[in-house]
Amino acid sequence: MADVVDPLWEASSMALSRAHLAEARRIGDELAAIARSGLLLPGSIVERSTTCGRPGCSCQKDPPRRHGPYFQWTRKVAAKTVGRYLTREQRDDYTTWIANDRRAHELLRRLEELGIEALEADPRSRSAP
Ligand SMILES: [Zn+2]
């Protein structure tokens, strides 16, 4: 592939290190692959077994045989945790989606770290007065 110059990059007066650009491009490729898959889901999936209040139920015996397992997808919405029950098959499918979402966030954080490193290395940067 020809060495394409990004127009955004050309418009910038700043010089980024080769290592910075190379890493950003690797991250971009991986991020794009995740985005194109369309398989992203926030939150997490938990597995729960429960006890009930029914007298004499085996969930309360010793040793207990709890109900479940139940699979629940949980996530934060406006600082509150909300959940939805999933079938085992859904749990198997969506576990990958959640892993993709986490990886995408990790990659974005790494890009931000590169930005911070670049700003801190910028000779025009100075400490706060
Ligand atoms: Zn029970």
Side-chain angles (χ1 to χ4, degrees):
M1 200 171 83
D3 196 19
V4 181
V5 177
D6 189 317
L8 276 176
W9 163 236
E10 233 180 355
S12 164
S13 63
M14 296 177 53
L16 296 181
S17 74
R18 249 177 222 288
H20 181 146
L21 283 175
E23 187 172 356
R25 283 177 184 156
R26 276 198 307 274
I27 291 171
D29 289 345
E30 189 178 347
L31 206 47
I34 293 171
R36 276 196 294 264
S37 78
L39 311 177
L40 290 92
L41 186 69
S44 49
I45 293 174
V46 293
E47 186 175 330
R48 290 208 168 91
S49 299
T50 61
T51 55
C52 70
R54 207 152 50 87
C57 183
S58 59
C59 70
Q60 291 161 23
K61 293 211 169 112
D62 192 20
R65 274 188 47 224
R66 296 163 71 94
H67 302 281
Y70 302 107
F71 305 104
Q72 197 180 22
W73 168 56
T74 64
R75 67 193 171 114
K76 290 264 189 217
V77 177
K80 276 183 70 180
T81 302
V82 297
R84 180 186 288 270
Y85 285 103
L86 306 177
T87 66
R88 185 181 290 271
E89 193 185 3
Q90 284 178 307
R91 187 273 311 259
D92 293 346
D93 289 343
Y94 290 110
T95 294
T96 310
W97 292 40
I98 286 170
N100 286 342
D101 188 68
R102 287 189 181 160
R103 181 66 181 152
H105 282 273
E106 201 176 289
L107 292 169
L108 273 178
R109 277 194 300 274
R110 180 59 193 143
L111 282 170
E112 289 175 344
E113 276 170 23
L114 288 172
I116 292 167
E117 285 166 21
L119 185 139
E120 282 172 352
D122 187 331
R124 296 168 300 175
S125 291
R126 56 194 174 103
S127 304

